[in-house]
């Protein structure tokens, strides 16, 4: 491995970054984690002769220029004219991108190509369901497919780098960005994050069908107080490492090319200036050798956070902390030279950042192939991509309730009334972060009403909105009631618009917006059969629906084939098998409510007042993590462990159970494995997901599902960020949701 000429000064800014971590995270116990105490253990980018040759030729201004990322064409052109630009994001279109690249490659002194980024979050041209929905599939192959299709479409259209996957674990359904991640569980989020990184990057992201991925947002962004976007996060070291960091650690192990810093503070130190998380943990302990990009003006925001007095201060905090590339704000290029002269940043820190960025450009093959073939630009979804999106969307849907059962509907049904403001919605079905790629904003999703018409061609299908998503007007209820009376069954499609979740889309209540609940009540009054389809980007508080609607299908924001996918499930062409990746609270006042909570000394007990509960609300969620029904039924039995003892070093235990389709039609079940350590030096969650498998079984068929548990599955990080595997009993639960009751135990020795 290449040895850089000098290591960052043990005295100057680096120590400052370490102290930021210590001050922010370790005051309580006063313990120093090894990662913090050790001498600079940072992983260096690999040696590449081309990068070294360039570095040797680069002026200071050119080096600083490589650290600059801008978000529009005009600014890009100005920066290029000054020879100070590393990359551009949010500019779309092969010809436009080639034109910018031509300036970089033909008119700048060293001809270093630009890197082109974009938020390709759940589709470029072809929109897939939102990531939260994908989490509900409990099938990481869904995420891998989305990433593979999106990477191909985007790369062929000139994009090199996606700002995905987002892997922020969160307990906050009010937070709009819950839509962009995989919910409340770090294990589930880890599996999906890794599948997506691999799907985008493949084995070699220089391929014309692949993108460099970006693990974001580093870190603990999902802990935003009150669910308000960008808000403060105060987190213990054990929770940081056990809850928020695992998907990032796994993504680094999977070779993710880049990481994006998050907007929040972490225990008083904003991520963009947090040397503990970026320098010590990410680049040190995890050995991350790619580059860290700031979030949009994230470095500049250190001023408003109150960490930096001015832009120079902000740059002096961010670069040593480990942010390599600055998005939109320009403090590195403006103040870098001065900061070097003042020795507030070191040449080694600057060179390290430049090396990391150039190396990703090398890996992308940009020096050999800076341009994209404009004739290959993807401008419309291919039939194969549409089919993949439709299949993914149906696989993500969760049947929350099905009394009767009302579902599936018969294809021979005579008349269907589609009611509700989202029944004819188009782009709202795409959810947040959609429409950015070429062709995406001119490909409206299939509406639910059109999907139903296609699925039941013999039926008379009507559509009556009844109300808007968030307005107060109930004057359309009467027409909706009439439509329901005239039909055999009514499908009520309610929920949220796309703009109600995603970035800067926090809600203070998570009820159905507007008068939509009233619309459901109006349909119920008719006494006719009905089902509710939910389109939304977050959990909603829907006790009314649970008590009053015969069936509820959670469709999330299902993407460009949404209407077809909803109809596939409603009519039983697809038997729903998704499970909730996040708890559904009964009321907003219960938040945070999550399955993997710690026990109190007084767990909720309805018979005892002095226990942990609300006076005015039943305990527990409305729908628990892992919940989801099917049109058939399953049993899980015969839980077996291969051993009663798990050696803490190198041990393995096989856990198996028999799952049987006990109903009358083929279907999917997600067998879930949870562990609990009932006595530990850091109290452990009442359950932790450590395995899941989605299986398809014919009616009456059985299969044995097995999982392997290793010490890693039962260990945890303590408040010194040390991973511990402690001796003692471990309980195992296997079943079809986080409420699984089938259990066994073994002992860690
Ligand atoms: C801000 C968002 O937080 C981030 O996720 C996104 O990638 C950037 N903007 C770029 O659009």
């Amino acid at each position: 491995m290449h040895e850089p000429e000098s290591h960052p000064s043990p005295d100057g800014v680096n120590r400052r970054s370490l102290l930021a971590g210590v001050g922010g995270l370790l005051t309580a116990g006063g313990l120093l984690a090894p990662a913090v105490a050790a001498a600079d253990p940072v992983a260096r980018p690999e040696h590449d002769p081309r990068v070294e040759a360039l570095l040797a030729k680069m002026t200071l201004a050119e080096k600083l220029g490589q650290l600059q990322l801008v978000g529009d064409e005009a600014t890009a052109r100005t920066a290029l004219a000054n020879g100070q630009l590393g990359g551009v994001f949010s500019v779309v279109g092969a010809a436009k991108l080639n034109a910018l690249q031509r300036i970089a490659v033909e008119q700048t002194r060293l001809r270093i190509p630009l890197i082109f980024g974009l938020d390709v979050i759940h589709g470029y041209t072809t929109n897939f369901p939102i990531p939260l929905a994908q989490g509900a599939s409990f099938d990481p192959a869904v995420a891998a497919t989305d990433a593979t299709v999106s990477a191909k479409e985007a790369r062929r259209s000139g994009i090199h780098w996606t700002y995905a996957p987002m892997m922020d674990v969160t307990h906050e359904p009010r937070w709009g960005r819950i839509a962009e991640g995989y919910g409340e569980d770090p294990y589930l989020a880890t599996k999906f994050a890794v599948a997506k990184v691999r799907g985008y990057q493949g084995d070699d992201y220089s391929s014309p069908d692949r993108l460099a991925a970006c693990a974001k947002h580093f870190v603990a962004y999902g802990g935003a107080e009150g669910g308000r976007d960008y808000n403060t996060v105060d987190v213990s070291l054990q929770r940081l490492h056990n809850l928020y960091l695992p998907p990032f650690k796994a993504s680094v192990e999977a070779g993710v090319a880049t990481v994006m810093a998050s907007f929040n503070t972490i225990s008083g130190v904003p991520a963009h200036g947090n040397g503990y998380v970026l320098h010590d943990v990410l680049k040190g302990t995890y050995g991350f050798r790619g580059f860290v990009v700031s979030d949009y003006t994230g470095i500049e925001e250190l001023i408003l956070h109150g960490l930096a007095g001015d832009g120079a201060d902000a740059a002096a905090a961010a670069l040593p902390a480990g942010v390599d590339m600055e998005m939109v704000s320009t403090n590195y290029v403006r103040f870098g030279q001065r900061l070097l002269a003042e020795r507030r940043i070191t040449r080694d820190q600057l060179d390290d950042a430049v090396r990391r960025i150039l190396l990703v450009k090398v890996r992308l093959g940009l020096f050999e192939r800076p341009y994209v073939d404009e004739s290959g630009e993807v401008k419309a979804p291919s039939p194969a991509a549409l089919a993949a999106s439709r299949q993914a969307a149906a696989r993500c849907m969760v049947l929350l309730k099905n009394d009767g059962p009302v579902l599936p509907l018969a294809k021979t049904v005579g008349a269907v009334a589609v009611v509700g403001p989202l029944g004819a919605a188009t782009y709202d079905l795409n959810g947040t972060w959609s429409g950015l790629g070429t062709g995406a904003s001119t490909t409206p999703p299939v509406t639910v009403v059109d999907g139903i018409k296609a699925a039941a061609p013999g039926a008379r299908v009507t559509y009556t909105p009844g109300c808007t998503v968030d307005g107060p007007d109930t004057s359309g209820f009467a027409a909706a009631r009439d439509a329901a009376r005239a039909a055999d069954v009514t499908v009520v499609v309610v929920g949220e618009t796309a703009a109600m979740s995603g970035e800067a889309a926090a809600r203070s209540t998570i009820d159905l917006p507007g008068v939509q609940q009233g619309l459901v009540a109006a349909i119920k009054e008719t006494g006719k059969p009905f089902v509710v389809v939910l389109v939304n980007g977050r959990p909603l508080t829907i006790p009314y629906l649970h008590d009053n609607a015969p069936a509820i299908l959670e469709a999330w924001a299902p993407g460009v084939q949404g209407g077809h996918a909803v109809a596939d499930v409603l009519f039983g062409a697809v038997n729903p098998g998704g499970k909730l990746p996040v708890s559904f609270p009964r009321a907003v006042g219960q938040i945070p409510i999550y399955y993997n909570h710690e026990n109190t000394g007084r767990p909720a007990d309805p018979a005892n007042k002095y226990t942990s509960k609300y006076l005015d609300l039943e305990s527990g969620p409305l729908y628990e993590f892992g919940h989801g029904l099917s049109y058939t039924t399953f049993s899980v039995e015969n839980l077996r462990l291969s051993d009663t003892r798990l050696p803490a070093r190198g041990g393995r235990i096989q856990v198996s159970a028999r799952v049987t389709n006990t109903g009358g039609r083929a279907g999917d079940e997600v067998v879930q494995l949870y562990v609990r350590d009932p006595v530990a030096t850091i109290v452990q969650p009442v359950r932790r997901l450590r395995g899941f498998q989605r299986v398809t079984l014919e009616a009456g068929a059985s299969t044995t599902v097995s999982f392997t548990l290793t010490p890693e599955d039962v260990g945890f990080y303590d408040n010194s960020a040390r991973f511990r595997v402690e001796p003692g009993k471990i309980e195992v639960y296997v079943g079809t949701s986080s409420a699984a009751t089938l259990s066994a135990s073994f002992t860690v020795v």
Side-chain angles (χ1 to χ4, degrees):
M1 201 186 82
H2 173 66
E3 277 299 314
E5 317 103 60
S6 63
H7 286 281
S9 142
D11 222 342
V13 235
N14 262 337
R15 196 185 52 170
R16 184 179 152 161
S17 83
L18 298 183
L19 288 175
V22 173
L25 291 155
L26 294 173
T27 45
L31 293 166
L32 289 181
V36 178
D40 188 15
V42 152
R44 298 305 181 134
E46 269 142 38
H47 179 78
D48 181 90
R50 179 148 41 183
V51 168
E52 295 310 314
L54 273 173
L55 259 177
K57 284 188 225 152
M58 289 169 91
T59 64
L60 201 49
E62 283 165 338
K63 287 182 182 175
L64 291 166
Q66 282 304 307
L67 313 191
Q68 183 67 53
L69 175 68
V70 303
D72 68 280
E73 246 183 299
T75 314
R77 283 175 192 275
T78 312
L80 277 170
N82 299 331
Q84 284 199 301
L85 188 62
V88 182
F89 73 105
S90 287
V91 173
V92 164
K96 273 190 208 170
L97 294 170
N98 274 346
L100 288 175
Q101 192 70 297
R102 216 161 285 122
I103 306 176
V105 172
E106 292 172 17
Q107 294 171 33
T108 65
R109 192 177 75 95
L110 294 173
R111 304 168 167 264
I112 301 174
L114 298 168
I115 183 170
F116 296 132
L118 187 72
D119 290 284
V120 182
I121 310 290
H122 54 112
Y124 177 81
T125 298
T126 309
N127 257 100
F128 279 73
I130 52 168
L132 184 64
Q134 295 187 26
S137 72
F138 273 69
D139 177 9
V142 167
T145 303
D146 160 15
T148 309
V149 171
S150 306
K152 182 169 172 177
E153 292 178 348
R155 189 68 188 262
R156 292 194 172 192
S157 306
I159 299 298
H160 311 132
W161 176 31
T162 175
Y163 302 135
M166 193 275 217
M167 52 191 75
D168 298 312
V169 174
T170 185
H171 294 159
E172 253 308 342
R174 288 172 293 184
W175 189 48
R177 302 201 82 168
I178 195 170
E180 296 178 47
Y182 303 101
E184 73 192 27
D185 183 74
Y187 182 83
L188 189 71
T190 296
K191 296 291 172 197
F192 276 82
V194 167
K196 258 202 143 172
V197 168
R198 294 213 177 104
Y200 287 127
Q201 296 192 168
D203 294 331
D204 170 8
Y205 57 80
S206 75
S207 150
D209 288 341
R210 300 291 182 180
L211 295 172
C214 182
K216 75 184 191 185
H217 306 82
F218 201 78
V219 60
Y221 188 28
E225 285 181 0
R228 220 172 67 229
D229 211 355
Y230 320 120
N231 207 9
T232 302
V233 178
D234 196 27
V235 62
S236 66
L237 204 52
Q238 65 93 2
R239 194 168 271 201
L240 180 68
H241 282 268
N242 290 314
L243 186 73
Y244 296 114
L245 281 167
F248 291 96
K249 179 171 184 284
S251 296
V252 171
E253 285 159 9
V256 72
T258 71
V259 170
M260 186 185 291
S262 56
F263 282 130
N264 51 291
T265 54
I266 300 143
S267 305
V269 184
H272 285 76
N274 197 314
Y276 174 68
V277 298
L278 292 173
H279 175 277
D280 301 349
V281 175
L282 179 67
K283 293 180 174 175
T285 312
Y286 296 173
F288 175 63
R289 296 166 135 200
F291 73 81
V292 174
V293 63
S294 84
D295 202 344
Y296 203 106
T297 61
I299 293 179
E300 183 103 352
E301 289 171 26
L302 293 176
I303 302 171
L304 279 176
H305 268 300
L307 189 85
D310 55 23
D313 253 13
L319 188 73
V323 181
D324 301 303
M325 186 180 250
E326 180 166 12
M327 187 192 285
V328 177
S329 57
T330 54
N331 300 290
Y332 284 173
V333 285
R334 281 191 291 149
F335 304 112
Q337 208 139 351
R338 189 178 110 197
L339 294 174
L340 270 167
E342 292 171 357
R343 311 186 68 147
R344 294 175 72 192
I345 61 173
T346 65
R347 190 167 288 269
D348 187 65
Q349 286 162 349
L350 173 61
D351 286 355
D352 181 67
V354 176
R355 265 194 195 94
R356 288 170 184 269
I357 293 164
L358 291 181
L359 204 65
V360 170
K361 292 184 175 185
V362 166
R363 293 250 166 83
L364 277 162
L366 299 185
F367 288 90
E368 292 85 6
R369 294 176 310 279
Y371 305 111
V372 66
D373 172 4
E374 291 173 27
S375 71
E377 179 165 18
V378 178
K379 294 188 170 147
S382 70
L386 289 175
S389 176
R390 176 172 177 168
Q391 201 183 17
R395 212 164 161 72
C396 296
M397 291 183 194
V398 183
L399 184 63
L400 295 175
K401 182 185 173 188
N402 190 17
D403 280 358
V406 210
L407 289 174
L409 306 176
K411 283 201 159 206
T412 51
V413 63
V416 183
V418 179
V419 160
L422 291 160
T426 56
Y427 289 104
D428 279 322
L429 298 187
N430 276 342
T432 186
W433 285 124
S434 57
L436 295 180
T438 13
S441 61
T442 47
T443 310
V446 176
T447 66
V448 172
V449 65
D450 286 344
I452 289 176
K453 282 179 182 163
R460 192 169 58 80
V461 181
T462 60
Y463 175 61
T464 318
C467 60
T468 55
V469 172
D470 57 357
D473 185 4
T474 56
S475 61
F477 285 12
R481 260 191 228 105
D482 290 346
R485 285 199 186 100
D488 299 312
V489 64
T490 299
V491 177
V492 191
V493 193
V494 288
E496 299 180 307
T497 61
M500 286 177 177
S501 61
E503 188 178 349
R507 293 181 59 207
S508 66
T509 74
I510 53 169
D511 293 341
L512 275 178
V515 295
Q516 294 180 97
Q517 184 171 302
L519 177 66
V520 177
I523 301 304
K524 190 193 170 192
E525 273 164 35
T526 65
K528 302 276 289 199
F530 71 100
V531 304
V532 172
V533 173
L534 291 173
V535 171
N536 47 306
R538 58 155 63 75
L540 299 173
T541 40
I542 47 167
Y544 174 85
L545 296 187
H546 178 71
D547 293 341
N548 293 282
I552 309 169
L553 178 66
E554 175 56 84
W556 313 103
V560 69
Q561 291 282 286
H564 284 318
V566 166
D568 287 341
V569 174
L570 290 179
F571 289 93
V574 174
N575 189 348
K579 300 279 182 173
L580 292 180
V582 62
S583 308
F584 271 44
R586 296 172 193 278
V588 77
Q590 270 184 315
I591 298 169
I593 180 164
Y594 47 98
Y595 89 94
N596 46 353
H597 61 87
E598 294 161 11
N599 232 350
T600 69
R602 297 181 172 195
D605 173 359
N608 183 349
K609 173 164 195 231
Y610 295 96
T611 58
S612 186
K613 61 185 194 301
Y614 296 99
L615 285 175
D616 53 356
L617 197 71
E618 197 179 319
S619 295
L622 181 67
Y623 298 118
E624 77 275 10
F625 177 89
H627 168 77
L629 306 173
S630 164
Y631 297 152
T632 184
T633 49
F634 292 91
S635 69
V636 180
E637 296 159 322
N638 272 339
L639 174 58
R640 295 207 198 290
L641 305 186
S642 61
D643 211 325
T644 54
R645 292 149 66 86
L646 176 73
R649 281 213 187 122
R652 291 178 150 247
I653 279 193
Q654 230 50 45
V655 179
S656 64
R658 191 96 186 134
V659 51
T660 304
N661 181 341
T662 51
R665 60 164 73 212
D668 286 11
E669 183 53 274
V670 179
V671 184
Q672 302 162 41
L673 166 77
Y674 296 86
V675 298
R676 176 176 184 227
D677 182 345
V679 181
T681 53
I682 299 279
V683 294
Q684 288 301 292
V686 294
R687 292 204 172 175
R688 287 202 286 149
L689 183 71
R690 291 311 298 183
F692 58 89
Q693 270 179 52
R694 183 164 172 162
V695 295
T696 304
L697 289 174
E698 294 299 322
S702 298
T703 190
T704 297
V705 169
S706 50
F707 304 94
T708 304
L709 287 177
T710 66
E712 202 204 328
D713 291 302
V714 297
F716 56 87
Y717 289 90
D718 65 14
N719 271 317
S720 308
R722 257 186 223 103
F723 192 73
R724 303 175 73 98
V725 179
E726 296 185 340
K729 181 179 170 190
I730 298 289
E731 296 165 3
V732 175
Y733 297 85
V734 175
T736 59
S737 86
S738 58
T741 50
L742 189 63
S743 73
S745 67
F746 61 84
T747 308
V748 176
V749 293

